Amino acid sequence: MRIALIDDDVTTNFINKRKLTKEIKGCEVIPFFNGKEALDYLNTGKKINIALLDMNMPIMNGLEFIKAHSVLPEEKKIDKIFLFAEQGVDEDFFIKHGLYQVLKKPLTMEIIELITRD
């Protein structure tokens, strides 16, 4: 399983990577510091199964990433995107762009269990 951490906070990515690799055996965790980095990675054809996406980032924020991601060919798309946002997301946007769930930080054991469920 390949998990993307898309967040501009270096400390958050470091802590979340440690938590995820400790709790999910055999997973590969790849940090990206903005949506553009993650999108560029996807365009190389490398698959990401799960993304934990921050809303507020420079260069390309979470909503901009989601819009760009939604027009990618199916084989390049992330299977499940979990958006970390303090405010709610419009339900029409949520459905249109294929978000899996909107969560609040920090990454907890409950969230880790949620993201790994089929």
Side-chain angles (χ1 to χ4, degrees):
M1 174 185 311
R2 189 174 287 150
I3 301 173
L5 300 175
I6 309 171
D7 193 321
D8 62 317
D9 187 304
V10 175
T11 303
T12 297
N13 279 344
F14 177 79
I15 292 168
N16 289 346
K17 182 175 181 176
R18 288 187 56 126
K19 283 181 183 179
L20 290 165
T21 54
K22 178 182 176 195
E23 298 299 329
I24 305 170
K25 301 300 178 219
C27 75
E28 179 183 357
V29 180
I30 306 164
F32 300 99
F33 298 102
N34 61 65
K36 184 180 179 325
E37 287 181 5
L39 198 60
D40 290 346
Y41 182 88
L42 291 170
N43 280 317
T44 68
K46 295 178 184 168
K47 183 68 177 161
I48 293 176
N49 306 102
I50 295 170
L52 302 179
L53 175 65
D54 187 37
M55 175 75 85
N56 299 309
M57 296 175 287
I59 302 172
M60 179 183 275
N61 68 33
L63 294 180
E64 293 166 336
F65 172 81
I66 290 165
K67 288 176 185 175
H69 177 269
S70 70
V71 298
L72 288 174
E74 283 303 314
E75 66 273 6
K76 291 185 178 183
K77 286 186 178 178
I78 297 167
D79 298 330
K80 295 181 188 176
I81 298 175
F82 296 86
L83 178 66
F84 282 102
E86 293 304 313
Q87 66 276 11
V89 174
D90 178 72
E91 188 173 340
D92 290 337
F93 182 88
F94 187 91
I95 293 166
K96 178 181 177 185
H97 296 289
L99 281 173
Y100 197 79
Q101 192 158 1
V102 177
L103 305 168
K104 291 192 180 203
K105 288 181 180 182
L107 181 64
T108 62
M109 276 305 300
E110 291 80 19
I111 292 173
I112 291 172
E113 290 169 7
L114 172 72
I115 69 172
T116 56
R117 278 189 217 141
D118 287 332

